[in-house]
Structures are given as C-alpha cells and as structure tokens.
Amino acid sequence: MYPIFRLLRVIAKSKLQKKISFDSAHNESINLRVLPQDIDLFMELNNGRYVTLLDLGRFSYGAKVNMGNFLKKNNWSLTIVGTYNEYRYRLRIFQRFELQTRILGYDEKWFYFFQKIVKDGKTHMASVVKFSYTSKKGLVSPKEVTEAMGIKYEPDQLPDWIQDLTKHLLFKK
C-alpha cells in the first residue's frame, strides 16, 4: 500500500519550512523510519519500498520549491521516466534514516534528481531519477520548462558522471 499518510505529513511539514529555488544545489533532507509495512521476509526495508519512499523526498523537495502552484499555473504534471538504483547496506525494521534529495539538472530531454538514503553517515541506497514535465500534448521540453520558471536554459550543466551513466542505459535519450 502506498504510504499516503507519510506523504501528507511530509508535504505539510515541508510547506511550513523555508522555500528554496528549483535551480539551487540544495540538498533537501527528511528523516524517516523503517515501519512494519516497509519490510520483507528478512525483516529489512524491501527493495521496492526504497523506491516508493524516494517519492516522499521528491514531494518534500517539490513543496519547498512551490512546485504544485507552478504545475497548476501551466496545467502540467510530472512523470518519472527512469531510475537507476544501487543498494549497499540493509536497513532493519524500526531503524531511522535520512532521505536526501537534490536536483542534478537537465539535458535536452530530461530532468534528473539524485537521491540517497543515509544512516550514520553511510549511504545505504542511492538513486538517479530521470523525470519529465507533461502536458495534455505530451512531454514538455526542459527549454520550455526553464523558460516558464524564469531560469536560464543551460542543458549542458549535468555532472560528467550523469552524462556517462545515461550513455550506457538501455533506453538512450
């Protein structure tokens, strides 16, 4: 089941916190705990649940940049078009952890988030999330999105490691 109550709590809390700009290199962070509904048969955070919990970090980030109003104003939505995940260490039931989220930037077609789950300074899971804005007509180009945001369009600002990663994924740009 989707963690709707956690999501509502994260959004409400984030709306009350200081706003940030979409183009900042800000690392948004929320604290969570592994709950019984998050675990698998090994009493640890299920690999699929990690990905679901990443939503909470993106929604928190979105609330802090006032994304809801921006989407409504432009009659747009968001869609995840791909993720690349790596898992390193287990999180057991009831352990607390920190979910960090930041925007990496965009290229000619996609936007990218970097998210990681950290406990005691150690990264347990990391994810690159590729996403796009959508309208009734389909995908909205990053150029059109950045113009609507009032941000200078600079598609070649992604870190080299993201550019290298995207060259080797199954579905090319």
Side-chain angles (χ1 to χ4, degrees):
M1 180 177 199
Y2 194 81
I4 192 73
F5 294 113
R6 280 167 140 171
L7 175 64
L8 294 173
R9 183 177 56 87
V10 163
I11 291 172
K13 187 175 178 182
S14 296
K15 282 187 172 278
L16 298 173
Q17 295 174 339
K18 183 181 174 201
K19 298 295 179 214
I20 58 175
S21 67
F22 182 82
D23 60 341
S24 73
H26 179 81
N27 218 13
E28 172 56 22
S29 180
I30 59 174
N31 294 306
L32 298 168
R33 179 190 298 260
V34 180
L35 298 177
Q37 61 265 33
D38 301 330
I39 62 168
D40 59 20
L41 294 175
F42 300 105
M43 302 302 281
E44 63 189 36
L45 185 57
N46 176 275
N47 63 328
R49 192 58 154 197
Y50 274 98
V51 177
T52 300
L53 293 177
L54 294 179
D55 277 354
L56 303 181
R58 292 189 300 273
F59 273 101
S60 176
Y61 187 95
K64 285 195 169 183
V65 298
N66 211 8
M67 186 56 63
N69 288 344
F70 176 75
L71 293 172
K72 188 175 181 179
K73 175 184 167 189
N74 291 286
N75 200 22
W76 290 342
S77 185
L78 292 169
T79 188
I80 301 299
V81 294
T83 62
Y84 176 81
N85 306 314
E86 287 193 6
Y87 304 88
R88 287 290 176 258
Y89 303 102
R90 296 174 178 190
L91 284 170
R92 304 281 183 189
I93 190 167
F94 300 120
Q95 285 186 313
R96 292 182 180 275
F97 60 92
E98 180 183 13
L99 170 54
Q100 298 174 0
T101 302
R102 69 183 162 102
I103 192 81
L104 287 172
Y106 54 91
D107 57 24
E108 295 83 18
K109 291 187 86 169
W110 315 113
F111 288 85
Y112 298 87
F113 274 112
F114 179 68
Q115 295 184 275
K116 63 183 180 175
I117 290 178
V118 178
K119 178 175 174 30
D120 300 327
K122 188 165 39 171
T123 300
H124 286 248
M125 185 265 198
S127 181
V128 173
V129 181
K130 184 167 65 169
F131 70 101
S132 182
Y133 290 77
T134 61
S135 71
K136 290 180 182 177
K137 297 176 186 175
L139 298 178
V140 181
S141 73
K143 183 174 185 182
E144 187 177 348
V145 173
T146 55
E147 287 172 358
M149 289 179 171
I151 298 171
K152 183 179 178 187
Y153 178 65
E154 298 179 293
D156 299 323
Q157 302 299 312
L158 282 174
D160 290 341
W161 65 275
I162 291 295
Q163 293 177 30
D164 291 343
L165 177 68
T166 60
K167 287 177 188 172
H168 301 287
L169 295 177
L170 293 175
F171 298 100
K172 306 294 185 230
K173 297 180 186 180

